[in-house]
Amino acid sequence: MTSRGGRTIAMIAATILPLALISACGADESDGKTTLTVASYGGPYQDAQAKAFFEPYMKANPDVKIVQDSPSDNAKLRAMVDAGKPQWDVVLLANDFGNESQGKWLEPIDYDVVDKDSLLDGYAGKYRAGADVEGTVLAYREDKLPQAPSSWADFFDTKKFPGKRAVNKFAAGGILEAALLADGVPQAELYPLDVDRALEKIDTIKDRIVWWDTAAQSQQLLESGEVTMGLVWVGRAIDAGKSSPVSVDWNTWLSQDAYWMVPKGTPNAEEAMKLIAYMVSKDPQVEFTQLIDYGTVNREAAEVESVRANPNRPSNHLDTQVPMDDEWWAENLEGVMETFNAWVLT
């Protein structure tokens, strides 16, 4: 699958996981170290995590060995735990997992170890601790519009802002929230989502929508100029802007975040909590932001000058963020997806 934080996941888990587990067992037997298997999204994103988090942690804790795996996956995690054999000790997943309704597959975060007060509001959950601040944003081509859009209403105004729109073909990808906000629903009254009203609003631009399934597709649509606006993951929007005149409207955007979790039943839960505590602390978080264009979840790190200097860092725009109700989506995703997919086909 493709993660919701703007990274395309390499579908090579079938070979990586066995190798990772073999490495882990060998490490335990040969040198007596505690081995933590950490699953993340792969690619440049996980490379940045390795440089900012995993390598420094092992250097500071020579009795710990971190073995990396990718890609992480909700279904695989559930299957591991249900079988009583969790093979991951720490796993990174998107905001559609780790909610109260999924607690049976996860260990509660030990906030005697992880500094809860150091995390930004909303990023310290019972079963998950924020990894970074991401987002779904309104990105647009500066060269193909008469002026810059500044609201979700502008996204739906094809007369004032002509051209096609790139939209994720996924009900929980933000398009329903964007439609309701554009239709005048106050942010405080967004949930529970009025799905029928949202679809009626999207109908007004349906013939102008170019659906995307992968993050790479969304970026290509913007770079090629096939669309003039897109509802896309912030990482892809920023990457598109490096080679083409693409900008982001930060007046309103939707939260799409990543979280660290600990699978239920891992024998290394105590050491896993220590690693999470390190990864969300100030200095590692600052280092991570220097390697990739996502926001920090650490309060102190968010105020560091080098972090504040990036105008496209999501954590610099929390005042305009529209948080998605993850619990509502966890309870309603299946039914809404059925309605949404049927609408797409009409």
Side-chain angles (χ1 to χ4, degrees):
M1 63 179 290
T2 303
S3 82
R4 293 166 62 186
R7 300 161 299 272
T8 301
I9 299 176
M11 299 303 293
I12 53 176
T15 56
I16 291 181
L17 182 56
L19 292 174
L21 295 177
I22 291 171
S23 299
C25 293
D28 284 339
E29 293 176 2
S30 64
D31 54 25
K33 293 183 178 182
T34 297
T35 298
L36 294 176
T37 301
V38 181
S40 186
Y41 292 149
Y45 178 78
Q46 191 162 334
D47 290 342
Q49 290 176 328
K51 292 178 182 178
F53 305 144
F54 309 152
E55 293 168 11
Y57 189 81
M58 286 189 288
K59 185 175 182 180
N61 298 272
D63 58 334
V64 175
K65 178 179 178 64
I66 295 174
V67 174
Q68 297 182 58
D69 190 20
S70 68
S72 57
D73 181 80
N74 299 356
K76 186 179 290 186
L77 169 63
R78 295 196 302 268
M80 288 178 179
V81 174
D82 287 342
K85 298 179 180 180
Q87 297 160 337
W88 296 331
D89 299 299
V90 180
V91 58
L92 183 133
L93 292 167
N95 56 313
D96 58 351
F97 200 78
N99 303 292
E100 292 280 346
S101 60
Q102 297 138 346
K104 67 179 180 179
W105 293 291
L106 300 167
E107 296 285 349
I109 299 298
D110 186 349
Y111 286 111
D112 288 333
V113 177
V114 179
D115 185 359
K116 186 174 186 177
D117 292 337
S118 72
L119 294 171
L120 296 171
D121 292 344
Y123 290 89
K126 182 176 180 179
Y127 297 103
R128 63 188 192 181
D132 52 66
V133 182
E134 302 172 8
T136 294
V137 299
L138 191 165
Y140 61 95
R141 291 280 306 212
E142 297 174 348
D143 60 333
K144 294 184 178 294
L145 295 174
Q147 63 189 79
S150 60
S151 70
W152 289 120
D154 292 344
F155 186 82
F156 287 84
D157 188 344
T158 56
K159 292 183 178 180
K160 188 176 179 181
F161 299 90
K164 295 181 179 180
R165 281 27 175 180
V167 177
N168 189 356
K169 193 162 56 177
F170 179 56
I175 185 59
L176 299 182
E177 286 87 348
L180 291 172
L181 292 167
D183 204 38
V185 176
Q187 181 177 328
E189 300 174 15
L190 196 53
Y191 296 92
L193 295 182
D194 186 336
V195 177
D196 291 337
R197 179 176 175 178
L199 294 178
E200 288 180 6
K201 182 65 175 177
I202 306 171
D203 259 325
T204 64
I205 63 166
K206 191 174 184 180
D207 62 345
R208 308 302 294 162
I209 291 177
V210 179
W211 299 106
W212 58 267
D213 295 299
T214 70
Q217 289 174 338
S218 70
Q219 182 174 337
Q220 191 277 330
L221 288 169
L222 285 166
E223 289 177 341
S224 68
E226 182 176 345
V227 301
T228 59
M229 285 195 222
L231 186 60
V232 302
W233 296 329
V234 63
R236 290 296 182 167
I238 294 171
D239 284 347
K242 294 175 181 177
S243 60
S244 54
V246 174
S247 292
V248 173
D249 167 42
W250 286 107
N251 289 292
T252 184
W253 57 287
L254 300 160
S255 64
Q256 295 279 343
D257 306 301
Y259 292 85
W260 293 116
M261 307 172 204
V262 177
K264 188 80 170 179
T266 172
N268 296 317
E270 183 177 350
E271 195 62 51
M273 298 299 172
K274 294 178 183 178
L275 174 60
I276 292 174
Y278 174 81
M279 294 190 293
V280 302
S281 63
K282 178 186 175 182
D283 290 345
Q285 282 281 303
V286 171
E287 177 63 21
F288 181 69
T289 65
Q290 306 311 299
L291 299 170
I292 201 161
D293 290 316
Y294 293 118
T296 174
V297 295
N298 182 278
R299 293 181 187 277
E300 289 187 74
E303 299 304 320
V304 171
E305 184 176 353
S306 62
V307 177
R308 296 290 303 173
N310 185 339
N312 281 322
R313 196 171 301 287
S315 54
N316 292 339
H317 301 279
L318 294 176
D319 58 329
T320 56
Q321 181 195 62
V322 177
M324 296 184 75
D325 189 328
D326 298 338
E327 286 290 347
W328 187 88
W329 273 112
E331 296 171 4
N332 295 278
L333 178 60
E334 184 176 350
V336 176
M337 279 298 297
E338 184 176 342
T339 300
F340 178 79
N341 289 336
W343 171 85
V344 170
L345 294 175
T346 59

